[in-house]
Amino acid sequence: MNQAQPHKPSVPTAEAPGSTHARPLLAVLLIVACNSLGTGAVMNGIFFLARSRHGFNEQQNLLLGLVLGVTYILGATGVGPLIRRLTRTSRCSPRAALVWIHIAMGLLGFVPYGIEQAWGIWVFAITYSPLTGALWPIVESYLSGGRRGRDLRHAVGSFNLVWASSVIVSYWAMSIVLREHPPEWLARIGLSGNPMIVIAVLGAIHVLTIIAVLRLQPAPSRHLTDEHEPHPPVYTDLLRATRWLLVLSYILVCALNPILPTRLESLNVDAEAGVRIASAWAVSRLALFLLMQRWHGWHGRWRTTIWAGAALAGGFALTVLASSVGVLITGLALFGVGVGGIYCAALYYAMEVGAAEVEAGGKHEALIGLGYTAGPFIGLAPWLAHGGGFLSEPQIAPMIVALAVIAGGVTLVGALWPLRSSQRRSARQSEQ
């Protein structure tokens, strides 16, 4: 959105008296922390749980990832228009919508635990994922409402640190439950025997998170453009570029997550250690988020887009083709740096160029959903070719890399096009 042509807000907005902030940031961050535990366990870790509980193979996990991605897009793209319609025709506010979403997510958390058959996983994925896609745009609108510039960068940095930390916690919590011989204290509190207890516990956390949701005001604040300088024109170009790379990053994340359990098994790593090793990219992403919160020299510069994209591609290739655990961990760490740099930049520009709208977060999350969808397809297509006799099993991993390179080439063209536009604009301004 161009700052010179303000867009009508998608939801009612409010400002706290005497401040550009709707509520203290702490309430939003508490909501982020609790819900990110679910994101880590479901969108990233459910493949380990499905393999441990129901013996899902690589193809089944990739198909599960595809389902998660498609339904996530539906939730992310539909929530903005839905909220706008509800606020126009009823007394339902964005805060009320968050409450109902948390209730539904909480109840769904008990589905895969209570249903012993594998179809319980599929029912859960189809219903939980769109709710997740709808939740995050609303939360992000509360995060950015009334904030611009340095204040917004600090809020986005805190947001990134909190959700990334929670994802790591969920990985490590799952590693305890997935042990071949879980600790006795888990049995004493009834949390052993069924790894799906992880998702049931997260369901309870979703319900408890409603306490923090009620601390929010009914609707997020708007950006107060009269008190802040407009964003530089290059931000619009950087937003377009980082959005292309954001799609690529989640394509690669979602091509990688479903195959990590079997990749680690092929390197003689057990399930418990495998989950911890798989969290290496989440740890390096967290470190990068911390750096970008403290050091603000990354924003407004094209070089951030370049080094983050290079780390993303290099880390993915190393991970998929690794012949040892050490190389795989190195690849995952480099991959996390790329994912973190792209995500932080894309979210900041989306919130800065936008106006605290649910649609601004919805577009951001829908692009993530596109990656959630295309990534598993990249991983699944070589297996389908193998089943049809077109590829041998040793050719599957190189083919995944080849398809990822093709996807990378397409998104790279999309990312470089705004750079060309930015250079042309700078040249015209220099001539004047």
Side-chain angles (χ1 to χ4, degrees):
M1 186 188 69
N2 191 306
Q3 190 70 19
Q5 298 176 336
H7 186 71
K8 184 178 179 181
S10 59
V11 295
T13 56
E15 284 78 46
S19 172
T20 60
H21 294 205
R23 285 279 183 174
L25 187 60
L26 182 61
V28 177
L29 295 181
L30 183 57
I31 296 168
V32 170
C34 294
N35 286 295
S36 295
L37 290 171
T39 299
V42 176
M43 305 306 287
N44 297 323
I46 196 170
F47 309 107
F48 287 93
L49 297 174
R51 182 164 180 80
S52 176
R53 179 61 175 171
H54 300 294
F56 273 32
N57 58 27
E58 197 165 290
Q59 300 95 304
Q60 288 172 310
N61 266 342
L62 286 164
L63 185 58
L64 179 62
L66 191 65
V67 168
L68 289 170
V70 171
T71 52
Y72 191 94
I73 292 175
L74 295 176
T77 55
V79 64
L82 178 61
I83 292 292
R84 190 167 59 247
R85 189 177 303 114
L86 288 175
T87 53
R88 210 171 38 229
T89 59
S90 68
R91 293 183 177 275
C92 182
S93 65
R95 180 180 63 189
L98 276 180
V99 170
W100 285 110
I101 288 172
H102 279 87
I103 291 173
M105 293 171 74
L107 294 175
L108 287 171
F110 293 90
V111 170
Y113 177 71
I115 298 175
E116 294 293 326
Q117 293 79 20
W119 62 266
I121 285 278
W122 296 103
V123 171
F124 171 74
I126 292 170
T127 51
Y128 181 93
S129 181
L131 291 172
T132 303
L135 177 141
W136 287 113
I138 304 175
V139 173
E140 288 162 5
S141 68
Y142 277 101
L143 174 78
S144 65
R147 296 180 171 92
R148 298 300 294 268
R150 177 176 290 272
D151 190 33
L152 179 59
R153 287 194 294 275
H154 174 76
V156 169
S158 299
F159 170 83
N160 289 335
L161 288 173
V162 169
W163 74 255
S165 301
S166 297
V167 168
I168 294 171
V169 169
S170 68
Y171 266 118
W172 284 65
M174 282 189 294
S175 74
I176 297 175
V177 175
L178 289 172
R179 287 180 184 176
E180 187 175 350
H181 302 290
E184 292 183 3
W185 61 268
L186 276 180
R188 286 198 295 269
I189 60 176
L191 297 183
S192 64
N194 184 348
M196 293 301 167
I197 191 65
V198 172
I199 297 179
V201 170
L202 290 171
I205 292 174
H206 282 312
V207 174
L208 292 175
T209 306
I210 294 172
I211 297 172
V213 172
L214 294 176
R215 296 288 298 169
L216 301 174
Q217 63 182 35
S221 297
R222 289 189 64 187
H223 287 336
L224 302 183
T225 55
D226 58 327
E227 296 184 9
H228 298 275
E229 294 182 3
H231 63 78
V234 72
Y235 277 26
T236 303
D237 296 322
L238 286 167
L239 173 60
R240 292 171 184 157
T242 53
R243 275 180 166 170
W244 278 98
L245 290 177
L246 183 69
V247 173
L248 176 62
S249 70
Y250 275 87
I251 286 174
L252 299 185
V253 165
C254 297
L256 195 60
N257 276 336
I259 67 174
L260 270 179
T262 48
R263 288 287 298 123
L264 287 162
E265 282 184 13
S266 71
L267 297 174
N268 299 317
V269 178
D270 61 32
E272 177 196 355
V275 174
R276 294 185 180 182
I277 290 173
S279 71
W281 75 273
V283 173
S284 66
R285 179 179 62 185
L286 175 63
L288 199 280
F289 282 161
L290 179 60
L291 173 64
M292 294 179 78
Q293 186 197 37
R294 301 299 179 87
W295 170 65
H296 291 184
W298 58 266
H299 68 89
R301 292 172 171 82
W302 284 99
R303 63 171 178 258
T304 303
T305 307
I306 295 170
W307 62 252
L312 178 79
F316 179 82
L318 274 179
T319 302
V320 173
L321 300 176
S323 58
S324 68
V325 174
V327 173
L328 187 141
I329 293 174
T330 302
L332 285 172
L334 186 61
F335 183 70
V337 168
V339 172
I342 291 167
Y343 183 92
C344 187
L347 179 60
Y348 171 67
Y349 295 132
M351 298 295 99
E352 181 70 40
V353 175
E357 299 173 354
V358 173
E359 267 92 343
K363 290 177 183 177
H364 177 79
E365 295 299 328
L367 291 171
I368 291 174
L370 181 59
Y372 278 145
T373 304
F377 179 78
I378 285 176
L380 190 59
W383 279 106
L384 294 175
H386 171 64
F390 297 103
L391 288 178
S392 64
E393 190 161 341
Q395 293 174 317
I396 291 175
M399 181 56 69
I400 290 174
V401 174
L403 291 175
V405 168
I406 294 172
V410 173
T411 54
L412 184 61
V413 171
L416 290 178
W417 191 259
L419 172 59
R420 187 179 179 186
S421 300
S422 181
Q423 290 173 333
R424 286 177 176 175
R425 185 186 303 112
S426 298
R428 286 196 300 268
Q429 291 174 348
S430 298
E431 290 173 359
Q432 295 172 357

